[in-house]
Amino acid sequence: MLIAIASQGEKISQHFGHCKGFTLYKQEGEQLLKEQFVPNPGHRPGFLPVFLHDLNVDVIIAGGMGASAQQLFQQHGIQVIVGAEGTVDDTIEKYACGMLQSTEVFCADHHAHGEHDDEHCQHE
């Protein structure tokens, strides 16, 4: 299983589309291996779910994500976990232990308005 975490350095990105990149981990049984960091190739509507699918990602973890992006990931067979906070290392450990739950954090579609900050994310 390949897990991608939307990352801003060592922290979880609160808006997956505007992250610096994706920290990839491979889980084999109980063993968790850090694979690599893949820079974000650019935020374009509908592109990142296909990009991560082509990398064979099975799970995407982020702080917040729009509802339409979540649907696109699910259509590509990628499990979505949103609402993650803190560091990438702590988050992957929580995931590996089965302690990471999606909290239904949605980011409003504010791209058309030119707004790119994370304060628009809503907890539902």
Side-chain angles (χ1 to χ4, degrees), residues 51-82:
F51 174 76
L52 292 174
H53 177 264
D54 289 347
L55 292 176
N56 297 314
V57 167
D58 299 295
V59 178
I60 176 71
I61 300 172
M65 180 184 300
S68 61
Q70 290 186 40
Q71 291 172 352
L72 288 171
F73 275 112
Q74 291 166 356
Q75 289 172 4
H76 284 88
I78 299 173
Q79 178 187 2
V80 176
I81 298 175
V82 292

Side-chain angles (χ1 to χ4, degrees), residues 32 104 124:
L32 198 59
E104 301 302 320
E124 296 189 0

Side-chain angles (χ1 to χ4, degrees), residues 28-39:
E28 295 177 351
E30 294 184 20
Q31 190 172 16
L32 198 59
L33 307 169
K34 188 172 185 178
E35 287 284 296
Q36 62 183 326
F37 178 82
V38 177

Side-chain angles (χ1 to χ4, degrees), residues 1 8 16 20 27 41 49 51 54 57 63 66-68 71 75-76 79-80 83 100 102-103 107 118:
M1 174 181 298
Q8 289 294 110
F16 96 100
K20 289 187 179 183
Q27 186 174 26
F51 174 76
D54 289 347
V57 167
S68 61
Q71 291 172 352
Q75 289 172 4
H76 284 88
Q79 178 187 2
V80 176
L100 188 63
S102 190
T103 61
C107 287
D118 295 332

